[in-house]
Amino acid sequence: MNRQNKVLLIVIDGCRPDGLEVAETPVLDELMETGSFSMTAQTTYPALTLPCHFSLVSGQKPIGHNVQTNTGQPSISPETLSIFQLAKYRGLTTAIFYSWEHLRNLAPPGVLDLSLMINVINNPVDQQDRLIVDSALPHIQNLLPDLCFVYLEGTDIAGHEYGWMSEEYIQAIERADHAIGELVKGLEKVACRAQYNIIVTSDHGGVDRHHMERVPEVLTVPWIMQGPDIAIAKKLTRQLTICDIAPTIARLLNIPPYWEWQGSVATELLN
């Protein structure tokens, strides 16, 4: 792997894989066609946004990182290190762009080179994800962070308001796809798209208007990867979980493994 390659992690909050199959998602379809993916990856339980995101960035289950509720002041295990911390310790640049303020806890002070939170809840639903991307793109194009995280909340908002798999929810997935397309075009505009390995996943699914049940519709999430270090149409040989995200990002960034990880590298999806 080339040391100069970077990682763009995109989380579509509350996105069910079968929702992707119903929605018109030309951008994600192309990423899957030219990369590798799983529509049967598993999230952790409780399937709440903050605990799941900590699992995504720390490679630990909630019992390991100790974040088990949606709270503004989580009691994080002292042995938990996020992928942002590990990247920063290796001298890499890091950035996050998000709309739910509790996600500020994903990296402690001093770790991020750039952090931008935009509260989109009072904006029209068809503009929420696009607002995040429009705000993030100039910063991404200027900094070109080695590890960049972009959070898209519109799908989860639609699920809670209208119900998972409702028409409004499917439309929210399509808007997320369009927003991701703008991110990709923005990278192409500054001629750095070829440096980025893109990972698109979700924190949880949902049923009815919630995601509290321990059922496949809640626990199953998509995992899509595309980029210079990603295999094309590689067959998976094991069950992926969101705890595998951080170790996989570390491998892509040439960061040594962390001993507290409960996940492992998705080697099946890498060149």
Side-chain angles (χ1 to χ4, degrees):
M1 294 183 185
N2 191 328
R3 175 64 174 76
Q4 71 178 4
N5 290 336
K6 305 170 184 288
V7 172
L8 171 60
L9 172 63
I10 303 169
V11 174
I12 308 174
D13 195 332
C15 184
R16 281 173 45 168
D18 53 350
L20 288 177
E21 294 172 358
V22 174
E24 294 289 333
T25 55
V27 176
L28 293 175
D29 289 347
E30 183 176 355
L31 292 179
M32 287 187 281
E33 290 169 3
T34 57
S36 293
F37 67 93
S38 170
M39 290 291 115
T40 59
Q42 297 296 294
T43 191
T44 52
Y45 194 84
L48 299 173
T49 297
L50 193 62
C52 291
H53 273 77
F54 263 91
S55 293
L56 274 164
V57 303
S58 75
Q60 294 179 297
K61 298 176 182 179
I63 197 171
H65 55 62
N66 199 43
V67 180
Q68 303 192 47
T69 62
N70 284 332
T71 173
Q73 295 181 313
S75 179
I76 306 165
S77 168
E79 295 181 337
T80 294
L81 291 180
S82 76
I83 190 62
F84 302 108
Q85 290 169 277
L86 295 170
K88 193 63 179 175
Y89 297 161
R90 299 289 291 185
L92 304 180
T93 53
T94 58
I96 69 172
F97 304 90
Y98 59 105
S99 56
W100 188 55
E101 195 168 9
H102 289 359
L103 294 182
R104 70 184 183 276
N105 294 292
L106 294 180
V111 166
L112 298 170
D113 293 282
L114 179 59
S115 175
L116 180 62
M117 199 290 292
I118 302 173
N119 190 339
V120 301
I121 197 66
N122 293 322
N123 293 89
V125 293
D126 60 345
Q127 298 178 17
Q128 291 169 346
D129 287 347
R130 182 61 183 270
L131 178 59
I132 291 293
V133 169
D134 286 349
S135 301
L137 256 180
H139 297 289
I140 295 173
Q141 291 169 326
N142 179 59
L143 180 63
L144 297 182
D146 296 301
L147 174 57
C148 183
F149 167 57
V150 177
Y151 170 73
L152 302 178
E153 188 180 7
T155 304
D156 186 70
I157 293 173
H160 283 294
E161 185 167 352
Y162 302 104
W164 265 261
M165 300 305 289
S166 65
E167 180 179 351
E168 292 84 356
Y169 173 78
I170 298 302
Q171 290 172 350
I173 293 178
E174 294 174 350
R175 289 193 292 270
D177 182 79
H178 181 75
I180 294 170
E182 293 302 306
L183 275 175
V184 172
K185 287 190 289 186
L187 294 176
E188 292 171 347
K189 185 174 291 187
V190 292
C192 65
R193 169 65 183 91
Q195 298 179 36
Y196 275 93
N197 294 293
I198 297 177
I199 302 175
V200 182
T201 189
S202 185
D203 50 350
H204 57 73
V207 290
D208 299 325
R209 297 187 182 186
H210 63 87
H211 41 89
M212 298 301 296
E213 295 182 32
R214 202 165 191 162
V215 295
E217 293 83 358
V218 170
L219 298 179
T220 307
V221 296
W223 175 317
I224 301 168
M225 298 178 70
Q226 197 275 345
D229 299 320
I230 309 303
I232 298 176
K234 197 73 172 287
K235 184 178 180 180
L236 296 174
T237 59
R238 67 176 174 88
Q239 180 71 70
L240 296 170
T241 79
I242 63 171
C243 291
D244 300 326
I245 293 282
T248 300
I249 291 175
R251 173 69 64 85
L252 291 168
L253 295 175
N254 288 337
I255 296 172
Y258 180 54
W259 66 281
E260 278 289 333
W261 282 338
Q262 295 171 307
S264 58
V265 180
T267 54
E268 304 94 328
L269 302 185
L270 307 183
N271 285 330

